[in-house]
Amino acid sequence: MVDFSNEPTMKGFFAPTRFEADVYDCEVIGRVPTELNGAFVRLGGDWLYPPRFDDDSPFSMDGYINMFRFKNGIVDYKGRWVKTPRFKADLAAHKQLFGKYRNPFTDDPSVRALDRSVQNTTPLAFAGRLFTLKEDSLPYEIDCNTLETVGPYNFHGKYKSLTFTAHPKVDPVSGELICYGYEATGLESNDVFLYTINKQGEVTRELRFKVPYVSMVHDIGLTQKHVIIPVFGFVTSMERLKEGKVHWGWDSTKPAYVGIVPRDGEAKDIRWFKGPERATVHTLNARTEGEKVILEAPIYDSNPFPFFPPVDGSKWDPTKAKAYIRRNTFNLASKDDGFTEEKLFEMNVSDLGRVDDRYLTMPYRYAFTAYSDKQRPFDQWKAGNLGGRVNNCYGRFDLATGRMNSYFAGDTHSLQEVCFVPRKNGAEGEGYIIGMASNYAEMRSELVIADAQHLEEGDVVRVILPFRATAQVHGRWVDESDLPFA
Amino acid sequence: MPENHRSAALARRDFMGALLGAAAALRMVRLVPLAAAFPGVSSRPVVSFHLDRPYLDRSGTALPYYPPPGARSAQIFSNLDEESVRRKHCYL
């Protein structure tokens, strides 16, 4: 029996959708730029069955991949579940067999031998293949035309970590993929395996090292010379897991560590810098300037996720769960293990920020992310009252001038993660921003596309879906030439 | 009693009876709330629609307007605190 009626936050716009869909030649408002050829691929989660435990994390939702395919000004939509062994086992049993986030001790005994990953975080197109990523397992390969699940992928057996990050970086200069797995040898292991994979998809380098304490290493920074590894706050232990708790808890006494290792270095070359309590879940960009390594990221003061509660039993503090765009500077010439931190903008933003990926690892000027502008109108009569939680704007943050340009989605809408699509041969920031808007008045999702250099002018085009699309964690633009599209 | 006097007395009696009945009825109206007298009718003003336009019916007797499923679809979060929402929807 499928029954979501007892879950107060899974109603209205936020109810599970639970269907697969094809929409051919989507309705559009405006004109789709014909230079946009490729696909906007989104990955997120939906509940096939209700969670087994009330206090489980939304990161346990079943993976759902969907794609807006752009070709010659026409847009088709396709959405499919990621059909993992977990999905299939649940479907066969007609119920949720899997327990709390990354805690196999809470699973039904019948599925203890199965891969329990849900593949719900980031899509990746690399070496001619499309993957779904979830940081607790290997990538899953997906057929880029049908979105059907092919299965786990280990780069011809050369990728040895049991896990694969949701945030690998593609070096725009070499085309290499820099990726890693943490808890690489199993639950509660402090092993990290860092890999370089060439653009043909062959593993060319592996570096194994250990982190100061077992923690979530969700994202990294990459420069032309260094890899930056943030470790912060979240802790786990086998005792905790055997007690039936969710994988992570937050320990505010743990310092934030940032490891810096040369891309051609060994484990002994890692420098660990130490700072105050912070949460660097996602990064924007990084660069090496002489002896200085600079990381810019939307960084939280403390724990952003109430479903990974404080280990000391205190109450989760929403006032510290706000991300600000900050710059961390690490001086490799210094013998000190500290680093400097600057807040670049005083306004808090969504931590799902992006840059023009052609400038990844290098000096750059623009960052893009969503934020909430309380001065903009919100039509509660039509949309309902979100309690002011709406991310109604995308901002282009100019790190050179400190200025910000803004795109407003509308007075009944909120925005999910932004993505930047560069114009071919254009300068930095020349192109489009693209992202999914939730229309709370019409109970539908809309893909918004705006000129990144003229955000105040609003949409260039809006692609209308006649239903709610599943919630996204991350979305990526994939150029026509990057995958064997039909 | 002359016939005309009897008729007048009966008319006065009927009139007084009607007056007392009316007073009693008015007293009932004052004492009994409308909602109690007519189950299903609200004593509070309601928003209703007439000829496709919203209006506030102060009597509470009009059919209240409820938005169709889908409209105001964010309303479920209106009374939830930040922790309750973000426990299930960390990226809206």
Side-chain angles (χ1 to χ4, degrees):
Chain A
M1 290 292 289
V2 182
D3 181 2
F4 287 96
S5 62
N6 292 325
E7 179 45 70
T9 66
M10 294 186 198
K11 300 189 186 310
F13 199 91
F14 310 98
T17 51
R18 304 181 75 248
F19 64 91
E20 298 187 322
D22 284 284
V23 181
Y24 302 110
D25 208 345
C26 292
E27 177 187 356
V28 297
I29 300 171
R31 184 175 290 272
V32 180
T34 52
E35 64 184 310
L36 286 176
N37 280 306
F40 181 58
V41 185
R42 304 170 68 244
L43 186 60
D46 198 6
W47 294 103
L48 177 64
Y49 295 104
R52 200 167 154 87
F53 298 95
D54 285 343
D55 61 345
D56 195 9
S57 156
F59 296 165
S60 293
M61 286 194 285
D62 297 282
Y64 191 96
I65 187 166
N66 51 120
M67 172 173 78
F68 290 88
R69 175 80 170 94
F70 288 69
K71 196 171 183 181
N72 303 323
I74 301 296
V75 184
D76 295 329
Y77 172 87
K78 184 183 291 292
R80 294 289 185 272
W81 292 101
V82 184
K83 297 184 180 73
T84 58
R86 172 174 176 155
F87 177 92
K88 292 175 182 174
D90 282 348
L91 191 58
H94 304 293
K95 64 179 181 180
Q96 181 67 258
L97 297 168
F98 293 82
K100 295 182 185 178
Y101 177 72
R102 293 177 82 170
N103 187 344
F105 298 105
T106 57
D107 292 347
D108 185 288
S110 66
V111 293
R112 288 228 169 118
L114 281 183
D115 178 355
R116 64 193 309 281
S117 180
V118 284
Q119 297 297 311
N120 63 11
T121 313
T122 312
L124 168 70
F126 184 71
R129 297 173 193 265
L130 177 63
F131 301 103
T132 56
L133 305 179
K134 174 77 173 180
E135 66 193 24
D136 65 355
S137 74
L138 289 173
Y140 270 59
E141 187 179 358
I142 303 291
D143 182 303
C144 71
N145 290 302
T146 64
L147 296 188
E148 291 302 330
T149 306
V150 178
Y153 190 79
N154 63 7
F155 295 89
H156 313 296
K158 299 288 177 55
Y159 185 93
K160 301 294 186 184
S161 170
L162 298 175
T163 61
F164 190 102
T165 175
H167 289 281
K169 305 289 186 212
V170 177
D171 182 333
V173 177
S174 67
E176 293 170 316
L177 186 76
I178 310 301
C179 54
Y180 63 99
Y182 73 90
E183 292 189 275
T185 55
L187 285 175
E188 202 214 3
S189 80
N190 60 355
D191 296 304
V192 177
F193 294 180
L194 177 67
Y195 291 88
T196 303
I197 300 175
N198 68 18
K199 55 187 176 186
Q200 288 76 39
E202 296 157 347
V203 172
T204 58
R205 182 176 165 77
E206 181 194 72
L207 173 64
R208 299 185 176 197
F209 62 92
K210 293 184 183 295
V211 284
Y213 58 91
V214 184
S215 187
M216 175 193 288
V217 186
H218 184 69
D219 198 354
I220 56 172
L222 184 70
T223 81
Q224 280 298 305
K225 292 186 175 176
H226 297 96
V227 181
I228 305 163
I229 304 129
V231 174
F232 52 89
F234 290 118
V235 294
T236 191
S237 68
M238 199 56 80
E239 293 71 33
R240 175 184 176 83
L241 298 179
K242 287 181 177 174
E243 285 170 9
K245 294 179 178 172
V246 72
H247 192 87
W248 300 117
W250 181 265
D251 186 345
S252 60
T253 67
K254 291 286 190 188
Y257 282 96
V258 181
I260 297 184
V261 60
R263 282 174 60 170
D264 58 357
E266 302 300 328
K268 64 181 173 48
D269 300 322
I270 298 178
R271 278 277 304 267
W272 288 103
F273 292 83
K274 196 158 68 171
E277 181 186 14
R278 291 284 183 271
T280 308
V281 182
H282 296 102
T283 66
L284 289 169
N285 204 356
R287 60 193 178 276
T288 300
E289 292 180 354
E291 291 297 319
K292 289 184 177 173
V293 176
I294 298 160
L295 171 71
E296 277 140 359
I299 299 175
Y300 294 96
D301 288 335
S302 183
N303 178 11
F305 303 132
F307 42 82
F308 298 148
V311 292
D312 63 5
S314 62
K315 198 166 166 51
W316 176 76
D317 183 354
T319 65
K320 291 184 176 177
K322 293 177 177 174
Y324 297 89
I325 297 176
R326 305 185 215 224
R327 175 180 295 143
N328 290 345
T329 304
F330 308 89
N331 186 354
L332 298 176
S334 167
K335 296 196 184 309
D336 185 9
D337 67 355
F339 59 89
T340 64
E341 177 186 271
E342 302 163 70
K343 194 183 273 186
L344 303 183
F345 293 86
E346 286 301 319
M347 56 190 289
N348 66 292
V349 296
S350 163
D351 84 319
L352 304 176
R354 302 302 305 280
V355 298
D356 183 335
D357 283 340
R358 298 170 303 172
Y359 288 78
L360 203 70
T361 73
M362 294 180 279
Y364 70 111
R365 183 170 174 179
Y366 300 115
F368 302 90
T369 193
Y371 69 97
S372 177
D373 185 346
K374 303 283 195 295
Q375 304 304 313
R376 302 275 194 174
F378 191 79
D379 190 333
Q380 294 184 23
W381 172 251
K382 290 181 181 170
N385 180 1
L386 268 171
R389 295 181 181 93
V390 62
N391 270 336
N392 51 7
C393 291
Y394 285 144
R396 183 185 75 164
F397 295 82
D398 186 334
L399 276 62
T401 66
R403 292 193 186 128
M404 192 267 293
N405 297 91
S406 179
Y407 164 86
F408 175 55
D411 63 3
T412 58
H413 293 67
S414 72
L415 291 160
Q416 299 177 15
E417 181 198 47
V418 69
C419 183
F420 176 77
V421 186
R423 179 166 290 132
K424 280 194 172 61
N425 305 316
E428 186 197 351
E430 202 175 303
Y432 300 96
I433 60 161
I434 184 168
M436 188 67 99
S438 302
N439 182 338
Y440 299 122
E442 303 291 341
M443 194 76 157
R444 71 187 188 198
S445 298
E446 301 168 4
L447 187 70
V448 299
I449 302 173
D451 185 327
Q453 293 180 304
H454 302 282
L455 294 183
E456 284 82 0
E457 293 176 9
D459 306 324
V460 170
V461 65
R462 196 172 281 225
V463 181
I464 307 296
L465 289 182
F467 50 80
R468 294 173 295 126
T470 52
Q472 170 187 323
V473 180
H474 296 293
R476 295 289 182 266
W477 174 259
V478 181
D479 192 76
E480 184 81 20
S481 61
D482 289 339
L483 288 174
F485 286 121
Chain B
M1 183 181 290
E3 187 59 28
N4 60 334
H5 286 182
R6 187 168 178 272
S7 298
L10 284 173
R12 277 199 300 276
R13 190 189 69 187
D14 289 348
F15 174 74
M16 289 305 289
L19 197 64
L20 286 170
L26 282 171
R27 185 178 172 81
M28 272 184 63
V29 168
R30 277 206 309 276
L31 291 177
V32 180
L34 190 63
F38 300 95
V41 174
S42 171
S43 61
R44 291 181 298 178
V46 295
V47 173
S48 190
F49 263 73
H50 180 65
L51 296 178
D52 214 25
R53 296 182 70 84
Y55 73 97
L56 186 67
D57 179 79
R58 294 186 185 281
S59 74
T61 57
L63 197 63
Y65 168 73
Y66 295 107
R72 314 192 80 238
S73 60
Q75 184 63 22
I76 64 147
F77 282 178
S78 61
N79 296 319
L80 296 176
D81 63 22
E82 193 68 8
E83 180 170 348
S84 302
V85 171
R86 287 176 70 159
R87 271 187 174 278
K88 298 296 180 188
H89 305 276
C90 55
Y91 294 117
L92 286 177

